[in-house]
Amino acid sequence: MNISYNWLKEYIDIDLEPADLAAKLTDAGLEAVIVETLPEYFENIVVGHVVSKEKHPDADKLSVCMIDLGDDEPRQIICGAPNIDAGQNVPVATIGTTFPDGMKIKKAKLRGVVSNGMVCSERELDLSEDHAGIMVLDENAELGMDMKAYLSGSDVSIELDLTPDRPDALGHIGVARDLAALLGLEMHKPEFEITESSTPTSSMVSIELEDTDACPRYAARIVKNVTIAESPAWMRQRLQAAGIRSINNVVDAANYVLMETGHPLHTFDLRYVEGEKIIVRRATDKEKITTLDGKERELDDSVLLICDGVKPVAVAGIMGGENSEVKDDTTDLLLESAYFEPVVVRRGAKKLQLSTDASHRFERGTDPNGIPYALDRLATLIVQVAGGEITEGQVDAYPNTIEPAEVALRADRCNAILGTDIDTATMGKILNGLELFHTESDGVFQVKVPTFRPDITREIDLVEEVGRIYGYNNIPLPNHFRIANKTNQKTPDQMREKIIDHLAAVGFNQIYGNGLLAVDEHPLVFGDEEAMLLANPLSRDMASMRSSLLIGMAKVADYNINRRQSDLRLFELGQVSTIDTGSDTGARETSHLGIFISGEIRNKQWSQAAEPTDVFHMKGVLISTFRDLFGVELKFLAAEHDLLTEAMLVFMGEDIVGVLGNLKPVNQSLKSVSGIYAEIRIPENLGLNRAIQYKKVSIYPAVERDLSILIDSRIAYGEINDAIKKNAGKSLVYSRLYDIYEGKSIASGKKSLTFRLVFQNEKRTLTEKEIDKDFKRILQGLENAYNATLREAI
């Protein structure tokens, strides 16, 4: 949204330069930057005065004009516009001006007569679509002034990048209010007097609200006998600085009040409002309306309509209908000022794929109790710029009053959160400056939150208001703060970064899946997750929070596989949300790591055969990641799984933290996805308490022994390896399985496993006797636990 520097100065007495003002707004949470709303070539288009106009000697439709540009001598310019005349002020493109389409103004002859420039129409300046004649400027326009200065009134435009929770700052008054509190100044809200006729508005129109939840309040006024014309220069300049193109005085007045108050309003041509009534209702299925942009739109009951006694005349909160549009011959107006429930407007805008200035504001929440002021302001402004008379009173349908919320703020709590020592007097001044009026007793403020601040519902919101106006730059850093302390402290975020860096370093690509899924996109990965449904989803495809990372991973894999990219190494580290009836919130959010591998782990080359990926590659990735980064030994146990073949459960200690296996088709749309998938729940304290110990490399030799055993084929490798470590003693450095055999020479139900055992002592060379003792103890432990027998020992 753009705001005008000069416009702001009407409400608050500021002497800051525009750049300093933008910096102040940014510090207060309203991110601001100075922008240009008019192109640079406008500096070469200047205000000229038509001194004389003569008929071209050789062309009936051309005129030879002498135009004074405020310098030495008038210039002769040929013009073909029918409305040009002596005495007018007009925009003149001087020689050398280059338009965006590449056209360059040069000295030229038209039918034998020299022309030294071009008089411009509004369409040629891209100010409107009007090309019927040249643009006639205000009679008080300064000769020689460039059009950039003329149209902006030498104003400066400031663009605000607002967060969705600040609808109050979508108008100049709201921004001025923040500035007044920030600078300790007083804001002057626009004042006006309304003069009414003796004709009651209620005798000319009535209002019926069929859905008071979707439209809690609707008010209307009538202005008669207006004259549609061009807006005065001051209004066009204000709107131009705010980035809004001038249309006519009535529409411009509505846009002016929109940009002033932040509240959208609409003007109807009263002659097209039938039945002397306005009805606010839901659309029926397949009902149609042609909106102001000329498009016929099919509706359903998600859309709220403004109707007269016969037909729809507007889509509530989004756009008016073509059948009630203000035209050049309009004389009587019906003015609308209403409050529409934000979710209803959002759904309607999504349904129609139509976003407007009005919907942008209604979706964020306008002020239901600011409606009368905005409506009266518009009525008086229309009379000011278009003439006419205002009928007596407003027709205001407001069956259920929306009252201001009350929120308590404890001064000591505020200071504790902000790390400040702000006294209660200063806090009270800040709150009053924001029109958060209150009472205070023993350091506790009871604040009545006005309805133009729907974002303030809790104490912490008031703390934020105090903090941003007091100035975050004014909050002192604690004395114990040290950058080194911050960087050396272990945090969950740093642990997650370690995982990301490690997997990226070994050739994986990180993805980011959508956190919102369709209701039916929740395959049970762990078996105990229950998806959380959204109360007001944006669409059916985003109606629930994801309960696992699988669907997002499968969609990315499917996209790549369908484009002949089958050798994939993907991972995602993200949050998932599930229902948890045992928690205070009823929800559980956990960090998950999802990994997907497909294709070949090693491609075929002249010196080696291709090696397809399998579950053991995935197992190795998981083991190395958690062992190397966090010193955690994972265990694996074969299991049955609905989504995976060769499935394994992943353990950290006694807790099941994940699953892995060959991925079956997730659903019909993702049936092309095949590969190895693993998903791990990351404990919150993973690695936070790990103390790394460094050891010197032993200078004494290591001794290798191979152990080959026959054992029941149902016994998992992990159990056997644990038994080896348990019985080996302190000299065993590591054991590694390097051969598995099941075949003709092996009894049915048995398998042969060969382990490489490495023994080493840090302080001396081991003797053969010591190694034999450890070796026999390992073998005896396997025999006792699993009835293993020695097949071969070297």
Side-chain angles (χ1 to χ4, degrees):
M1 183 191 80
N2 288 354
I3 59 172
S4 156
Y5 175 73
N6 288 344
W7 203 340
L8 274 181
K9 291 174 71 173
E10 282 200 2
Y11 310 133
I12 180 172
D13 298 326
I14 49 177
D15 57 3
L16 292 172
E17 291 297 319
D20 296 332
L21 179 63
K24 285 285 186 184
L25 289 172
T26 300
D27 288 343
L30 307 180
E31 186 177 345
V33 61
I34 295 175
V35 295
E36 295 289 347
T37 59
L38 292 168
E40 289 187 7
Y41 75 88
F42 270 43
E43 294 177 355
N44 294 324
I45 301 173
V46 299
V47 176
H49 180 73
V50 183
V51 178
S52 65
K53 168 193 168 184
E54 302 291 341
K55 183 178 177 299
H56 191 288
D58 292 324
D60 292 337
K61 294 184 178 181
L62 296 180
S63 301
V64 180
C65 303
M66 298 301 295
I67 300 180
D68 184 3
L69 301 183
D71 50 12
D72 298 335
E73 295 182 0
R75 288 169 172 76
Q76 179 173 284
I77 297 176
I78 309 300
C79 180
N83 66 325
I84 192 166
D85 208 350
Q88 294 173 336
N89 288 337
V90 294
V92 178
T94 56
I95 292 174
T97 302
T98 301
F99 287 83
D101 61 2
M103 181 180 72
K104 187 172 183 178
I105 303 301
K106 301 177 181 178
K107 185 175 182 179
K109 283 187 177 182
L110 297 178
R111 295 287 184 93
V113 180
V114 174
S115 181
N116 297 289
M118 182 180 78
V119 183
C120 303
S121 69
E122 290 190 6
R123 192 171 77 177
E124 286 163 339
L125 297 179
D126 197 28
L127 297 174
S128 77
E129 294 303 314
D130 185 5
H131 197 56
I134 51 93
M135 181 181 182
V136 180
L137 307 181
D138 189 79
E139 62 182 13
N140 296 320
E142 179 184 342
L143 294 188
M145 172 186 285
D146 66 69
M147 285 297 290
K148 197 170 185 180
Y150 172 81
L151 290 171
S152 67
S154 299
D155 201 354
V156 176
S157 294
I158 301 173
E159 182 180 27
L160 299 183
D161 187 6
L162 301 174
T163 54
D165 62 340
R166 289 301 308 275
D168 61 297
L170 287 168
H172 283 74
I173 290 175
V175 177
R177 184 187 297 114
D178 266 22
L179 271 176
L182 192 65
L183 302 175
L185 301 174
E186 184 179 351
M187 185 186 75
H188 315 293
K189 197 172 180 179
E191 296 181 358
F192 53 87
E193 291 185 5
I194 187 165
T195 303
E196 300 175 325
S197 70
S198 59
T199 304
T201 307
S202 57
S203 68
M204 303 178 69
V205 68
S206 63
I207 297 172
E208 297 178 15
L209 303 182
E210 291 189 4
D211 189 340
T212 56
D213 291 330
C215 179
R217 188 174 193 180
Y218 190 102
R221 263 197 178 279
I222 289 175
V223 182
K224 303 186 68 177
N225 301 321
V226 302
T227 301
I228 306 298
E230 186 181 60
S231 296
W234 64 268
M235 179 174 283
R236 296 199 308 270
Q237 290 169 354
R238 289 285 172 82
L239 294 176
Q240 176 65 46
I244 295 178
R245 178 180 288 183
S246 175
I247 298 174
N248 61 49
N249 49 5
V250 167
V251 176
D252 288 356
N255 284 331
Y256 189 95
V257 177
L258 166 71
M259 295 306 302
E260 184 175 66
T261 66
H263 196 100
L265 302 103
H266 190 69
T267 57
F268 299 98
D269 189 324
L270 185 61
R271 61 184 162 170
Y272 300 123
V273 178
E274 302 179 72
E276 296 185 344
K277 65 170 61 175
I278 289 291
I279 303 171
V280 184
R281 63 169 174 84
R282 295 278 186 168
T284 58
D285 193 35
K286 297 189 181 301
E287 188 171 7
K288 295 180 179 180
I289 184 174
T290 301
T291 46
L292 285 171
D293 56 3
K295 295 181 180 180
E296 184 180 71
R297 302 181 184 275
E298 186 172 284
L299 315 174
D300 59 25
D301 63 2
S302 67
V303 179
L304 191 67
L305 287 177
I306 310 299
C307 307
D308 60 19
V310 177
K311 62 186 182 300
V313 293
V315 182
I318 301 174
M319 184 177 283
E322 193 177 58
N323 57 10
S324 58
E325 179 183 6
V326 173
K327 298 179 172 62
D328 290 343
D329 61 346
T330 297
T331 57
D332 298 338
L333 303 170
L334 174 69
L335 313 183
E336 166 196 287
S337 183
Y339 174 77
F340 303 112
E341 211 281 326
V343 173
V344 173
V345 176
R346 174 66 174 167
R347 283 178 176 165
K350 290 291 288 184
K351 162 68 180 175
L352 301 178
Q353 295 294 298
L354 181 61
S355 179
T356 62
D357 282 341
S359 67
H360 180 80
R361 287 164 170 80
F362 279 123
E363 287 171 17
R364 285 152 177 77
T366 56
D367 181 10
N369 295 316
I371 285 173
Y373 175 87
L375 190 57
D376 284 348
R377 174 65 169 152
L378 175 58
T380 56
L381 194 58
I382 286 175
V383 171
Q384 180 182 343
V385 299
E389 57 184 34
I390 304 169
T391 57
E392 182 184 3
Q394 299 183 4
V395 179
D396 190 355
Y398 195 15
N400 303 306
T401 304
I402 299 174
E403 299 291 347
E406 292 193 10
V407 180
L409 172 66
R410 296 163 290 174
D412 56 351
R413 179 63 177 160
C414 180
N415 280 320
I417 292 173
L418 295 176
T420 54
D421 189 20
I422 306 172
D423 57 68
T424 54
T426 302
M427 280 190 195
K429 185 177 179 182
I430 290 172
L431 295 173
N432 284 334
L434 294 170
E435 297 184 27
L436 300 172
F437 302 122
H438 59 273
T439 59
E440 184 265 327
S441 177
D442 296 328
V444 179
F445 297 89
Q446 296 295 333
V447 181
K448 184 167 286 190
V449 181
T451 49
F452 61 73
R453 289 302 303 269
D455 58 307
I456 300 177
T457 59
R458 304 167 298 164
E459 182 180 39
I460 194 66
D461 299 325
L462 291 172
V463 172
E464 181 183 4
E465 294 302 297
V466 172
R468 70 184 185 86
I469 298 302
Y470 179 75
Y472 294 123
N473 293 336
N474 296 324
I475 298 176
L477 293 175
N479 292 330
H480 62 273
F481 179 83
R482 295 290 185 274
I483 293 178
N485 290 344
K486 181 177 180 181
T487 56
N488 290 334
Q489 183 182 6
K490 294 178 181 178
T491 67
D493 285 339
Q494 290 174 339
M495 299 306 111
R496 286 190 284 269
E497 287 298 324
K498 280 189 174 184
I499 295 174
I500 292 170
D501 291 345
H502 173 81
L503 290 174
V506 295
F508 282 80
N509 295 304
Q510 185 178 10
I511 69 165
Y512 293 91
N514 197 331
L516 299 176
L517 301 174
V519 174
D520 58 355
E521 291 185 321
H522 291 278
L524 294 181
V525 174
F526 290 89
D528 61 349
E529 58 265 52
E530 185 175 353
M532 296 181 61
L533 305 184
L534 301 183
N536 297 300
L538 296 176
S539 69
R540 292 180 181 179
D541 292 336
M542 295 188 289
S544 60
M545 304 289 288
R546 64 181 177 183
S547 58
S548 76
L549 304 179
L550 175 55
I551 288 294
M553 185 73 71
K555 287 180 178 179
V556 173
D558 179 69
Y559 181 90
N560 284 274
I561 290 170
N562 288 333
R563 286 156 180 78
R564 304 179 67 83
Q565 299 297 318
S566 57
D567 295 341
L568 300 177
R569 308 287 179 272
L570 307 174
F571 78 95
E572 180 176 7
L573 188 59
Q575 302 298 108
V576 304
S577 302
T578 53
I579 291 176
D580 183 3
T581 56
S583 70
D584 294 338
T585 62
R588 175 180 62 196
E589 185 178 63
T590 52
S591 294
H592 281 209
L593 171 64
I595 304 178
F596 179 81
I597 306 174
S598 69
E600 296 178 346
I601 200 73
R602 184 177 65 195
N603 299 127
K604 182 178 180 180
Q605 299 183 33
W606 68 270
S607 62
Q608 63 184 27
E611 183 180 356
T613 187
D614 58 27
V615 293
F616 297 105
H617 289 116
M618 179 67 79
K619 186 178 174 184
V621 170
L622 294 177
I623 289 173
S624 66
T625 299
F626 288 91
R627 176 192 291 162
D628 296 349
L629 297 181
F630 309 113
V632 173
E633 292 290 342
L634 298 180
K635 296 181 180 180
F636 302 85
L637 182 64
E640 296 294 325
H641 199 285
D642 291 340
L643 301 173
L644 305 168
T645 61
E646 297 185 79
M648 301 181 196
L649 298 178
V650 184
F651 289 80
M652 281 188 190
E654 300 301 319
D655 298 327
I656 299 174
V657 296
V659 295
L660 73 88
N662 282 303
L663 189 62
K664 298 178 184 178
V666 178
N667 55 41
Q668 188 63 26
S669 64
L670 298 172
K671 61 183 179 181
S672 66
V673 178
S674 63
I676 317 301
Y677 180 71
E679 186 162 338
I680 307 293
R681 287 173 173 165
I682 306 297
E684 292 183 1
N685 61 346
L686 178 65
L688 297 183
N689 300 320
R690 184 189 183 197
I692 299 176
Q693 295 181 344
Y694 297 91
K695 293 182 178 180
K696 291 182 179 180
V697 177
S698 176
I699 62 174
Y700 299 99
V703 179
E704 295 182 354
R705 291 282 183 93
D706 285 354
L707 171 65
S708 293
I709 57 173
L710 289 174
I711 197 165
D712 194 309
S713 60
R714 294 172 300 176
I715 299 173
Y717 156 77
E719 297 180 53
I720 301 170
N721 197 47
D722 287 345
I724 291 174
K725 292 179 180 179
K726 179 181 176 181
N727 294 288
K730 297 180 180 180
S731 297
L732 182 69
V733 178
Y734 69 85
S735 66
R736 177 169 57 86
L737 176 68
Y738 75 87
D739 184 67
I740 301 176
Y741 177 71
E742 291 178 280
K744 294 180 180 179
S745 61
I746 304 296
S748 177
K750 297 287 186 177
K751 60 184 175 182
S752 171
L753 303 179
T754 302
F755 291 84
R756 174 67 50 84
L757 307 179
V758 178
F759 301 90
Q760 190 176 34
N761 190 292
E762 296 179 2
K763 297 181 179 179
R764 59 182 176 82
T765 301
L766 291 171
T767 65
E768 287 294 322
K769 184 177 181 179
E770 290 173 322
I771 295 171
D772 287 342
K773 183 178 180 181
D774 286 349
F775 189 89
K776 290 177 180 179
R777 190 166 55 247
I778 292 170
L779 182 59
Q780 188 65 49
L782 293 173
E783 290 176 350
N784 295 339
Y786 303 111
N787 199 28
T789 59
L790 184 66
R791 181 175 181 230
E792 180 182 0
I794 299 175

